[in-house]
Amino acid sequence: QVQLVQSGAEVKKPGASVKVSCKASGYTFTTYPIHWVRQAPGQRLQWMGWINTGNGNTQYSQNFQGRVTITRDTFATTAYMELSRLISEDTATYYCARDATTGINWFESWGQGTLVTVSS
Amino acid sequence: QSVLTQPPSVSGAPGQRVTISCTGSSSNIGAGYDVHWYQQLPGTAPKLLIYGNSNRPSGVPDRLSGSRSATSASLAITGLQAEDEADYYCQSYDSSLSGFVVFGGGTKVTVL
């Protein structure tokens, strides 16, 4: 079955960067895009961007442009999300999610989430 | 402020029917893009409930149903059960600068 397993919780200082991983299994990794979605405590879901796991092309939300980088390692079947210049408002749970198709559609499977805390 | 607007909360007694609305605009739902729905239980990742406006993945009970019209969509839950108490989010695609994938603000369903 499809599984997305994310890396563990992180505590970072303001101004630092964080890199979260998402290990995929149970399907052909390069067929389906991976998206990243975050959720601040008590807040709504917020889409950050996605990666075409086949060719590595990415698109990012304007809200994170310039601060977020999504990459993938096809041999490790793992996607990564790096967020730089962290501020306290970046404290949130970050999720990876697999698209159900080869484009941008619905999110069929989700990782368990990674809590990133930004605090001095 | 969310691109897709949902009521913050709805409630109902066990066995009742509740509906959650998701109102968009001409750059997302009104442009013909599909709406999808997720359920999020406390402390867990979202779970897909409805895709393509009205389709249920296997395992999702037929008590849940989705519909779309013009610039809005709805999720209906009939025969409300205690296990339905959760947050629900709608999601669509947006062709404006908002950023491709947009979510509603979420609706908390409370079973009285």
Side-chain angles (χ1 to χ4, degrees):
Chain A
Q1 74 281 19
V2 175
Q3 268 199 311
L4 300 175
V5 179
Q6 299 182 221
S7 49
E10 303 259 15
V11 179
K12 295 292 183 180
K13 293 194 182 302
S17 297
V18 68
K19 190 170 186 176
V20 181
S21 68
C22 173
K23 167 75 175 174
S25 62
Y27 71 99
T28 302
F29 178 72
T30 51
T31 299
Y32 302 98
I34 294 280
H35 298 257
W36 287 89
V37 176
R38 81 173 185 182
Q39 187 173 38
Q43 301 299 310
R44 66 179 178 93
L45 300 170
Q46 188 177 23
W47 182 76
M48 300 179 71
W50 72 305
I51 185 166
N52 179 320
T53 49
N55 60 22
N57 287 346
T58 55
Q59 286 181 314
Y60 303 119
S61 166
Q62 195 177 31
N63 294 321
F64 300 96
Q65 202 78 17
R67 286 208 302 142
V68 65
T69 304
I70 300 174
T71 57
R72 97 288 191 221
D73 180 336
T74 57
F75 296 103
T77 65
T78 300
Y80 303 90
M81 185 284 301
E82 183 169 20
L83 189 62
S84 62
R85 304 192 302 277
L86 292 169
I87 59 176
S88 59
E89 288 78 10
D90 292 320
T91 294
T93 297
Y94 290 78
Y95 295 101
C96 62
R98 197 201 83 168
D99 205 294
T101 70
T102 55
I104 297 179
N105 276 286
W106 58 94
F107 303 153
E108 199 168 59
S109 301
W110 295 68
Q112 82 277 19
T114 296
L115 176 63
V116 175
T117 303
V118 182
S119 174
S120 54
Chain B
Q1 189 171 355
S2 302
V3 175
L4 303 179
T5 301
Q6 298 180 232
S9 63
V10 299
S11 60
Q16 284 191 328
R17 179 180 188 269
V18 297
T19 61
I20 302 169
S21 61
C22 173
T23 303
S25 65
S26 58
S27 63
N28 42 69
I29 302 175
Y33 296 116
D34 287 340
V35 178
H36 321 295
W37 292 89
Y38 303 87
Q39 177 194 59
Q40 187 177 35
L41 297 169
T44 69
K47 169 193 169 186
L48 179 68
L49 280 186
I50 298 287
Y51 65 93
N53 305 312
S54 59
N55 301 291
R56 284 184 305 274
S58 61
V60 174
D62 58 7
R63 300 186 297 106
L64 283 81
S65 62
S67 63
R68 191 195 87 186
S69 63
T71 57
S72 67
S74 291
L75 174 70
I77 307 174
T78 58
L80 198 62
Q81 300 179 3
E83 67 198 46
D84 297 325
E85 189 159 293
D87 293 324
Y88 293 79
Y89 293 90
C90 60
Q91 175 236 319
S92 187
Y93 181 93
D94 193 283
S95 58
S96 73
L97 293 178
S98 302
F100 308 114
V101 175
V102 288
F103 288 96
T107 298
K108 170 71 175 179
V109 170
T110 301
V111 181
L112 301 171

